[in-house]
Amino acid sequence: FNNHQMPSDRWEMIREKRGIEFLPWNFDGSYILVCLQLPGDASLQGADISQWMFDICSQIRKKCDFPILIRTPQLKRNFDQLLLNETLELKNVSLQNGTRENLLETLDNSLFVCTFSSGIGIDALIRGKPVVVSSKASFVYDSRTKLNDAIELKYNKNNRLNILSNIAYCQWSLEEIELGLPWKHLLNLIY
């Protein structure tokens, strides 16, 4: 994508155009948020999201008693019911049906966010929440906090603006595509 060490100009333009509120780091919250993805999504690279959910919730529960909130994606999907039931039987674990309306409040009230590779990691960083990421397929993998560190409330506090600036150079509007701007940007890789 030719998006390493990019300036913040595109991020600032997208942020302003979309009215995105870039919040300061916020390490307060009342639960650990575990975000599911659509089963079979390409970014899972063959991983079973239901098994990941059970595994990460079990790891968390072995190390701490913080409440865990599992958030489903906004699009309705079926998850492995046996693994979901086993996960919900762990101490202090609850389930939320994710909607557009409850997204920001849910992120804001979390201690930190766990995701396999979901784009919600970007939303979490924008809202000032640390992110635990399990896969290098995530756009925010380089900004992740390791699970053991997050449980101990030791977060990776690197410069979020760098990762958001790099991501912005992967996002182009139809108008920009028609003008050939992504192609001009990618030409730097060829020449």
Side-chain angles (χ1 to χ4, degrees):
F1 293 108
N2 190 24
N3 70 326
H4 184 67
Q5 298 298 320
M6 292 290 104
S8 64
D9 58 340
R10 283 197 62 73
W11 159 247
E12 294 299 335
M13 178 198 67
I14 292 169
R15 186 186 62 74
E16 185 176 320
K17 193 175 198 176
R18 301 232 178 230
I20 298 171
E21 189 177 11
F22 184 60
L23 299 179
W25 282 115
N26 176 356
F27 305 117
D28 294 327
S30 55
Y31 50 79
I32 296 169
L33 182 61
V34 173
C35 298
L36 300 181
Q37 302 175 225
L38 301 176
D41 186 89
S43 69
L44 292 172
Q45 300 176 328
D48 180 337
I49 195 65
S50 297
Q51 185 66 56
W52 172 83
M53 167 196 60
F54 176 75
D55 292 344
I56 198 162
C57 288
S58 296
Q59 290 172 39
I60 293 167
R61 193 48 65 232
K62 287 177 187 173
K63 297 181 183 280
C64 74
D65 290 329
F66 293 133
I68 300 171
L69 178 62
I70 299 169
R71 179 184 169 86
T72 63
Q74 293 172 189
L75 297 174
K76 188 102 172 125
R77 290 295 190 269
N78 292 324
F79 297 92
D80 183 309
Q81 198 61 49
L82 180 63
L83 285 169
L84 182 59
N85 290 342
E86 285 183 39
T87 305
L88 291 173
E89 287 175 11
L90 296 171
K91 181 182 175 188
N92 210 4
V93 176
S94 57
L95 184 67
Q96 177 192 66
N97 290 322
T99 66
R100 184 180 198 125
E101 292 77 25
N102 66 18
L103 173 64
L104 299 182
E105 181 181 358
T106 302
L107 288 171
D108 292 347
N109 290 318
S110 68
L111 280 166
F112 59 89
V113 176
C114 298
T115 174
F116 186 83
S117 60
S118 174
I120 202 167
I122 297 168
D123 296 308
L125 285 181
I126 290 170
R127 303 298 292 179
K129 291 298 179 175
V131 182
V132 172
V133 177
S134 297
S135 171
K136 290 181 180 179
S138 171
F139 285 118
V140 298
Y141 185 78
D142 292 335
S143 295
R144 76 192 181 286
T145 296
K146 293 180 181 176
L147 180 60
N148 289 339
D149 290 339
I151 289 170
E152 295 176 9
L153 308 179
K154 298 176 187 173
Y155 304 119
N156 179 353
K157 300 175 202 164
N158 64 353
N159 186 347
R160 300 174 291 149
L161 183 57
N162 290 342
I163 196 85
L164 295 170
S165 296
N166 290 344
I167 291 169
Y169 271 87
C170 299
Q171 309 299 314
W172 302 90
S173 69
L174 288 176
E175 181 180 317
E176 290 172 321
I177 292 169
E178 289 173 358
L179 292 171
L181 298 181
W183 175 244
K184 289 176 186 172
H185 175 69
L186 292 173
L187 277 176
N188 294 332
L189 289 175
I190 299 170
Y191 296 110

